[in-house]
Amino acid sequence: MKLSGDLRIFSERLGHTFAKPELLVRAVTHSSMVSPHRDDNQRLEFLGDRVLGLVMAEALLSADPNAPEGLLAPRYNALVRREACADVAREIDLGAVLKLGRSEMKSGGRRKEALLADAMEAVIAAIYQDGGFDAARRVVLDLWGDRVRNVAADARDAKTALQEWAQARGEVPPQYVEVARSGPDHQPVFTIEVRLASGLAERATAGSKRQAEQAAATALLKKVDK
């Protein structure tokens, strides 16, 4: 099998030449394109998630040999979570080469965060199966780049930090309420309000509930820390 022109250019962006091009084709094939002669990327996604996790665990241990597990775990989570995978996918324009069914294309599938993150993990697995762990590690570390080097010394997310702040003062955990939603179904915008039992509250708007919750928690943390 030979790669199409767009996939050949994409493989160059990855920095990996596939000995088995069919692996890359499968990695970019969404389940909406499945046929008797075409496999989707779900099994590769499952494997890629584990490969990415091992690469990041090794990288973090190497970068900070003395860090306790309590610091390593949140750093790890920041590097492997859906948002990070989707960000990398956008940087290499993975969405442009995805093979999607008609309905998924119409609903903006090439821009969906979950779909991009899953495909990114599938691509990592394809590289692993094609070239082994060393090849996968090299590509992952190159693509994640500064994310690995600059991951915060304490990467606990804002929601965790706010909950710990409340618990330390004997308060119940913060509540997150969706107060507004706008935009088309394939590109929604959420407004989330986070509330403390004391009555303090903050709102934030973002393209996903998680991002809006994090932004609201960050804003409220700034208020309570004053």
Side-chain angles (χ1 to χ4, degrees):
M1 172 185 288
K2 289 187 178 181
L3 291 175
S4 60
D6 59 343
L7 281 179
R8 187 173 63 254
I9 293 171
F10 177 71
S11 71
E12 292 173 358
R13 291 201 295 274
L14 288 174
H16 180 78
T17 300
F18 282 85
K20 300 176 181 177
E22 62 272 16
L23 287 169
L24 179 57
V25 174
R26 188 185 311 158
V28 300
T29 300
H30 185 256
S31 58
S32 60
M33 278 289 288
V34 171
S35 72
H37 307 292
R38 187 194 299 268
D39 293 326
D40 65 32
N41 61 9
Q42 291 182 331
R43 287 173 59 85
L44 285 175
E45 172 205 337
F46 173 81
L47 176 60
D49 175 64
R50 277 70 184 170
V51 175
L52 173 62
L54 180 54
V55 170
M56 290 307 168
E58 282 191 349
L60 289 171
L61 288 172
S62 176
D64 193 346
N66 299 315
E69 189 276 340
L71 284 182
L72 290 172
R75 297 177 191 175
Y76 171 88
N77 291 334
L79 291 169
V80 303
R81 64 191 179 198
R82 173 185 293 180
E83 291 84 354
C85 292
D87 282 345
V88 173
R90 293 187 189 98
E91 289 177 0
I92 60 176
D93 202 14
L94 174 53
V97 298
L98 290 178
K99 298 184 180 298
L100 306 173
R102 184 182 299 274
S103 62
E104 196 63 58
M105 288 183 64
K106 286 184 175 180
S107 65
R110 297 188 190 281
R111 299 186 301 274
K112 290 181 180 178
E113 185 167 87
L115 193 152
L116 288 171
D118 291 347
M120 188 69 248
E121 291 174 345
V123 167
I124 291 170
I127 296 170
Y128 168 76
Q129 289 194 330
D130 188 71
F133 183 69
D134 287 343
R137 180 200 290 120
R138 177 183 55 78
V139 172
V140 167
L141 293 179
D142 181 58
L143 294 180
W144 261 249
D146 289 340
R147 291 176 178 82
V148 181
R149 292 188 287 271
N150 298 331
V151 66
D154 182 354
R156 290 178 305 170
D157 60 39
K159 287 183 65 177
T160 300
L162 182 61
Q163 180 165 324
E164 291 177 353
W165 182 93
Q167 289 175 337
R169 288 156 180 79
E171 294 189 17
V172 298
Q175 290 186 320
Y176 294 84
V177 180
E178 180 183 324
V179 296
R181 174 173 175 165
S182 60
D185 288 342
H186 68 272
Q187 202 168 9
V189 176
F190 300 92
T191 298
I192 301 292
E193 181 173 277
V194 56
R195 304 166 183 169
L196 292 175
S198 63
L200 289 174
E202 281 290 346
R203 293 185 178 187
T205 300
S208 75
K209 286 186 179 181
R210 185 185 185 284
Q211 291 173 335
E213 289 173 351
Q214 292 290 347
T218 298
L220 191 49
L221 277 170
K222 291 178 181 179
K223 180 181 287 188
V224 299
D225 284 341
K226 286 183 178 179

